[in-house]
Amino acid sequence: MNPSISQLRAQTRDLHIELEHTTIDQDLLSPQLTRARYAHILSVWHRAWIPLETAIWTSPWSQSLRQLLPARRAAKAEQDLHALGLNGLANTTTNLDATFKPDVLDSEAALLGLCYVVRGSSLGGQVIARHLESTLGLNTAHGSSFFSPDTNESLTWPQWCHQLGPLLNDRAAKDRACAAARAAFSHLLTAFTEPHTCDRATP
C-alpha cells in the first residue's frame, strides 16, 4: 500500500472507528431505518459537510491540486433533502460551524489530508447508497445522490492514492496531512454526537 495512505489510515483509525460507533452511523445502516430518520441523519451530514467542502475549495492550494479535489456533494444533499420533504436543520442552533478550523489547512499537504477524508468517504458512501436502495427504495435520482458514486470524479480511488504519494514526500508533509485529516474526522464526530443528532425521534 502507498506509504502516505498507510500513515493517514493509521493516524485516523481511532477516530474512524469512533465515528462508526455513533448513533448516527449505526442508524444509517440499520435494517430498521425509516425515511424520517434518514432525512434527519442526512440533514446532519449536510450541515457537517459544508464547512469541509468550503475549506477545500477556498484553499489557496486548491488550484494547484485541482485534479485531487473531491467532487462537490453539498448541493446533492440539499437536493436529496428537498426530495425527502426536509430542508435541513435551519432551526437548530449549535456550535458545529466552529469545530472545523480552516487554520489547520496551512499547507498543500494539509489540504491533501482533508481531501483524503472527503474523497475517501465516497467508498463508504457506496455501501450506504446500496443500503438506502434496499431498505427505503431510494436512488440517485431520488434521495440518495449524496451517498451515491459520483460520476464526476476524474480518478478512481486507487488512482487518487497513487497520485497522492509523491506529494507527501517527507515526514513533515505527512504529519501535516495527518493533522488535517484528524481535524476533519473530529469535526464529523462532533456533528454526529451533538445531543440533537442522537435523538431518534422523527424530525
Side-chain angles (χ1 to χ4, degrees):
M1 181 182 292
N2 183 311
S4 298
I5 294 295
S6 295
Q7 183 167 339
L8 281 162
R9 181 174 295 177
Q11 290 294 319
T12 58
R13 182 177 293 114
D14 60 327
L15 294 174
H16 199 171
I17 292 173
E18 196 171 350
L19 204 64
E20 290 177 340
H21 284 84
T22 60
T23 300
I24 285 283
D25 207 52
Q26 292 185 346
D27 283 3
L28 184 57
L29 291 171
S30 168
Q32 286 75 47
L33 180 67
T34 64
R35 287 174 67 96
R37 179 59 175 158
Y38 169 59
H40 179 68
I41 291 171
L42 182 59
S43 290
V44 177
W45 266 100
H46 176 230
R47 191 158 188 270
W49 205 252
I50 290 174
L52 299 180
E53 196 167 276
T54 299
I56 288 173
W57 287 92
T58 59
S59 167
W61 294 279
S62 61
Q63 289 301 315
S64 61
L65 295 175
R66 196 167 188 84
Q67 190 173 6
L68 291 176
L69 301 189
R72 299 176 191 250
R73 290 165 55 194
K76 291 186 175 184
E78 293 172 12
Q79 294 168 4
D80 291 340
L81 288 167
H82 180 73
L84 294 165
L86 186 68
N87 294 315
L89 296 173
N91 296 324
T92 301
T93 302
T94 73
N95 293 320
L96 176 59
D97 295 335
T99 63
F100 185 72
K101 299 292 187 182
D103 58 6
V104 303
L105 301 181
D106 59 358
S107 63
E108 180 181 275
L111 177 58
L112 287 169
L114 173 56
C115 289
Y116 163 79
V117 176
V118 173
R119 179 67 174 83
S121 72
S122 63
L123 302 179
Q126 296 176 33
V127 176
I128 294 169
R130 289 193 294 270
H131 178 68
L132 293 173
E133 183 173 12
S134 64
T135 58
L136 302 178
L138 302 177
N139 54 43
T140 302
H142 186 86
S144 70
S145 65
F146 177 76
F147 293 108
S148 298
D150 199 313
T151 57
N152 293 323
E153 294 287 6
S154 60
L155 301 172
T156 65
W157 177 243
Q159 289 171 338
W160 192 92
C161 294
H162 180 73
Q163 291 201 16
L164 173 73
L167 299 174
L168 299 179
N169 54 9
D170 58 48
R171 180 174 179 177
K174 289 183 177 68
D175 287 346
R176 290 189 180 96
C178 288
R182 287 188 62 84
F185 270 114
S186 294
H187 166 79
L188 292 172
L189 190 58
T190 296
F192 288 6
T193 55
E194 286 189 331
H196 74 277
T197 70
C198 299
D199 187 359
R200 286 189 170 93
T202 57

